[in-house]
Amino acid sequence: MIKRIKHSLEYLLDKSSRGKTSSAEENLLHDFAFSEYQNSKWDNDFMGNPEIESQNIYEEIQLRIGRKRSFRPYLKYIAAASILFLLGLGFFLRPNVLNQKQITFKTSSIPKSIQLSDGSKIYLAANSSFQYPEKFEGNQRTVSLLKGNAFFEIAKDKQHPFIIHSGEIQTRVVGTSFHIQLSKLNCKVIVVTGKVNVSGKGQSVDLVPNQEALFESQKLTKQMADKAFLVNWYNEDVTLEQTTLKQVITILQYKYGVSFEYDDKHVLATPLTVFIKKDATLENVLEQINYITNLKFKVYGEIVKVD
């Protein structure tokens, strides 16, 4: 019985991918996928973030079948709930992910770093979350930046590309170093060394050092990066000479995972020179800024305000 059902589903999926199904057959596929979606139970530690994984699988299905064809709504339900089913049909391009123990690493108010099983090192900003396998298996090294910002130093391995999922984009490298900055509004990848490919929503760009990719409003663009971002400020002391308060605030937001609130935007043009030690707390840096500018920045959780 199970073999017959599996065969029927394979037949309908293949037929649907070629645009040959009738309305009744499409409805059957949709009803089946939606039922599986409603009844599925996710284990975040084992299977990863459901929203991220469903989008990743859906895009991989598109790549495998061909983007020029039309895609049915039921595919999203299948991607979200039927990973084992897809594995059986051979659609899933990351067959080893279910066999890998997934670890979620989170930071609070202080940036921290971790080393992965392949020797790659990840410097995670404060208030960020990162998911990775205990040990890499298969032909790809796949991880996810779930929240916040990070700097990646990837161990070179041409036989096993390193792939980072962050929001709606995918970053693919072999061995290089770069920033990924993920927020609710956009995602940015800034390359420091090596070559990087960034893709998402059917778009793709290749980056070299001093370049960045910005994914915003469903559009992926490439541009030159700000020189201030071409260092690993999580592991290096940084001196910002004769810069503006706006530039300093931008770096502090990424490193410490906070947002700044101020009524007078004219203060952003204030010139200053700031020294940021790699292990400095946000409060220590703000004390330095307050002394130089005579402002009164104060931390309230993940928000910094001028009192």
Side-chain angles (χ1 to χ4, degrees), residues 286-297:
L286 292 177
E287 284 181 9
Q288 186 181 168
I289 295 173
N290 289 341
Y291 177 79
I292 296 171
T293 63
N294 290 320
L295 296 171
K296 293 183 179 179
F297 284 108

Side-chain angles (χ1 to χ4, degrees), residues 134-153:
E134 185 176 47
K135 184 179 180 181
F136 290 114
E137 298 177 0
N139 57 4
Q140 294 180 348
R141 298 172 287 168
T142 304
V143 300
S144 295
L145 179 61
L146 304 177
K147 174 190 175 185
N149 313 304
F151 185 82
F152 295 79
E153 291 181 350

